[in-house]
Amino acid sequence: MISGMNYSERIAKNKILSQNPGDGAVAEAEETIQVIMSGGQEEVMMPELAGLTIEEAQQLVTGQNLILGENGVREEYSDVVEKGRVMEQSVAPEERIPVQTEITLAVSLGSLSEVPALTGLTKEKAIKRLEKLKKQAGFTFLLGEVKNKYSTDVEKGKIISQSPKAGKTVRTNEPVRIVISKGPEMVQIPDLTYMTQEQAVKKLQKAGLQAEITTAYSEQAAAGLVLHQSVQAGTKAAKGGSVTITV
């Protein structure tokens, strides 16, 4: 009499796994012998992993009592599958396999493509350019770290530089780091009137400004003292700019 079934890695499916009374025991006439049949090795259904991140795939594999080995993940470039997502799996989805089967996966490195030019754009326009690339080519790059820097050459709010540089061939979905102009650093113009030329030049240099010197005759101040400055004291000017003083 079959009284049950248990999984077994040792006894093939539908073979007797155990019996009661046991092998070699003395049984009475017409005594019922109960047997446990082998269900073979326990099996589970292989889940669909394509398109998942490696972390999501790992969770599903572990949840099904399967194994993703130490060398179970290989990386390949793909023009279709987004970087970091599963492209292929060693066992087809919905196939029944023994528990603890080791699974291998192919994960996308993304495709190789030229980095678009973002310098000279505002951050908002750079984002739109990357979104447009996504629509046109089916892939894009991520906008990475954003830094801000003073610049006398690039208008405030526009991108001074990017890394990787435009035209460089790298994996898609890589972050493109940008530096945005804060415009020129502004400094306060000091009051220079009646200082000596040497004092005025040092004062301007300390403020990050350059001095241009002109001379004029005057009965109001002694020789060598500043009579006039081209930019009014207390106002703001771009660091690195020039102030003309009349001595």
Side-chain angles (χ1 to χ4, degrees):
M1 173 181 177
I2 298 174
S3 60
M5 183 189 75
N6 284 330
Y7 291 113
S8 172
E9 296 182 6
R10 195 169 44 84
I11 306 298
K13 187 175 182 180
N14 296 325
K15 301 285 186 180
I16 295 175
L17 182 61
S18 63
Q19 66 184 61
N20 185 28
D23 186 25
V26 177
E28 295 181 7
E30 299 184 1
E31 181 179 352
T32 300
I33 298 179
Q34 297 183 338
V35 296
I36 304 293
M37 303 299 292
S38 170
Q41 190 169 359
E42 183 179 359
E43 294 182 340
V44 292
M45 185 177 288
M46 182 67 203
E48 170 71 77
L49 303 178
L52 301 181
T53 65
I54 189 65
E55 292 79 11
E56 293 167 340
Q58 176 73 74
Q59 287 181 354
L60 274 181
V61 167
T62 303
Q64 288 293 84
N65 199 9
L66 300 170
I67 300 171
L68 186 60
E70 280 187 34
N71 300 314
V73 178
R74 70 178 191 278
E75 295 181 313
E76 299 177 0
Y77 291 109
S78 171
D79 292 326
V80 179
V81 181
E82 183 182 346
K83 179 188 174 186
R85 295 193 177 271
V86 176
M87 299 188 297
E88 298 175 6
Q89 56 193 79
S90 58
V91 179
E94 300 186 5
E95 183 177 332
R96 296 197 66 81
I97 54 176
V99 296
Q100 294 294 295
T101 297
E102 190 165 309
I103 308 299
T104 59
L105 304 175
V107 177
S108 174
L109 283 170
S111 64
L112 294 174
S113 185
E114 287 189 2
V115 179
L118 303 179
T119 53
L121 302 178
T122 62
K123 179 182 176 181
E124 292 72 23
K125 288 186 176 179
I127 291 172
K128 286 182 179 178
R129 177 165 290 184
L130 295 178
E131 289 174 348
K132 185 178 180 181
L133 178 63
K134 176 73 172 178
K135 291 178 182 178
Q136 291 176 338
F139 61 83
T140 190
F141 295 87
L142 303 174
L143 190 61
E145 182 183 23
V146 178
K147 290 185 176 180
N148 296 282
K149 182 180 178 182
Y150 289 113
S151 173
T152 56
D153 302 317
V154 179
E155 183 182 340
K156 182 180 179 180
K158 293 193 174 180
I159 296 172
I160 302 170
S161 62
Q162 66 179 77
S163 179
K165 292 183 179 180
K168 186 174 181 180
T169 301
V170 298
R171 292 191 299 269
T172 56
N173 295 304
E174 285 293 299
V176 180
R177 300 178 296 280
I178 58 173
V179 178
I180 297 177
S181 172
K182 294 165 67 173
E185 184 179 358
M186 304 301 287
V187 294
Q188 187 167 308
I189 303 296
D191 187 356
L192 307 172
T193 51
Y194 301 120
M195 288 185 179
T196 65
Q197 177 178 319
E198 183 180 0
Q199 289 172 331
V201 169
K202 285 183 178 179
K203 192 84 169 178
L204 288 172
Q205 288 175 340
K206 188 176 180 180
L209 300 165
Q210 300 178 41
E212 294 186 3
I213 314 295
T214 62
T215 58
Y217 290 103
S218 173
E219 296 179 354
Q220 298 176 353
L225 299 183
V226 176
L227 297 170
H228 175 73
Q229 59 190 77
S230 61
V231 185
Q232 185 178 349
T235 58
K236 297 278 188 177
K239 189 173 184 179
S242 297
V243 176
T244 301
I245 57 174
T246 303
V247 179

